[in-house]
Amino acid sequence: MPTDVFGVLANPVRRKLLETLRDGPRSTGELAGLFALGRPAVSEHLAVLKSAGLVREEPRGRHRYYHLKPAPLAEVSEWLHPFEHYWKQRLDALADLLDEQRDQQREHEHDESAHDENAHDENAHDENEENET
């Protein structure tokens, strides 16, 4: 059973549990309802998260509620920080591309609008000539 934060986060079910707990505490039953897994399997994942210090368990009567404890995630953030410039460069390039495409679309729409106005003016001119004859 992994106990380090990186090993714990390697599992998609545990990541989804953490994402869900961002919105507030949830009971084991609520969390189990999110997955096509049995309640015992979800409870095992919650135990792994608890052993890594990522969640805390709160007994309420016969139910157990889990709360997110995000402090250990700081280790992941610190580790990822030196790599941020790789995806930031890509996101910046994507933003530039989208801006360029938006500008081209606006230019195209402007050209079509000007063309429609010219066609309308020509039709009006033709109608005036017909009326004069």
Side-chain angles (χ1 to χ4, degrees):
M1 170 167 52
T3 56
D4 74 301
V5 175
F6 293 97
V8 170
L9 293 176
N11 184 286
V13 172
R14 292 192 283 265
R15 289 193 307 268
K16 177 69 174 172
L17 286 167
L18 291 175
E19 290 171 10
T20 302
L21 291 173
R22 282 187 313 200
D23 298 329
R26 298 281 192 277
S27 71
T28 308
E30 287 177 276
L31 293 168
L34 301 172
F35 302 96
L37 300 172
R39 192 174 177 146
V42 172
S43 292
E44 188 175 322
H45 285 293
L46 289 166
V48 171
L49 291 169
K50 185 178 172 187
S51 71
L54 289 164
V55 298
R56 75 176 171 84
E57 184 181 63
E58 175 194 1
R60 292 186 196 170
R62 295 180 11 196
H63 301 284
R64 302 242 180 265
Y65 281 78
Y66 288 86
H67 300 257
L68 177 64
K69 289 177 55 180
L73 295 173
E75 179 184 356
V76 176
S77 178
E78 290 169 15
W79 185 82
L80 283 172
H81 182 69
F83 300 96
E84 286 179 2
H85 75 277
Y86 292 111
W87 66 77
K88 282 186 178 178
Q89 288 173 348
R90 291 184 152 200
L91 289 174
D92 289 345
L94 176 61
D96 291 345
L97 177 65
L98 293 173
D99 287 344
E100 183 180 315
Q101 288 179 342
R102 185 185 61 234
D103 291 346
Q104 288 174 353
Q105 179 66 29
R106 285 181 180 161
E107 187 176 305
H108 178 71
E109 290 171 356
H110 177 73
D111 290 347
E112 283 184 346
S113 176
H115 176 72
D116 290 346
E117 286 178 20
N118 288 341
H120 177 72
D121 289 346
E122 287 176 15
N123 287 342
H125 179 69
D126 290 346
E127 287 176 11
N128 284 341
E129 285 182 355
E130 287 177 12
N131 289 337
E132 291 176 4
T133 55

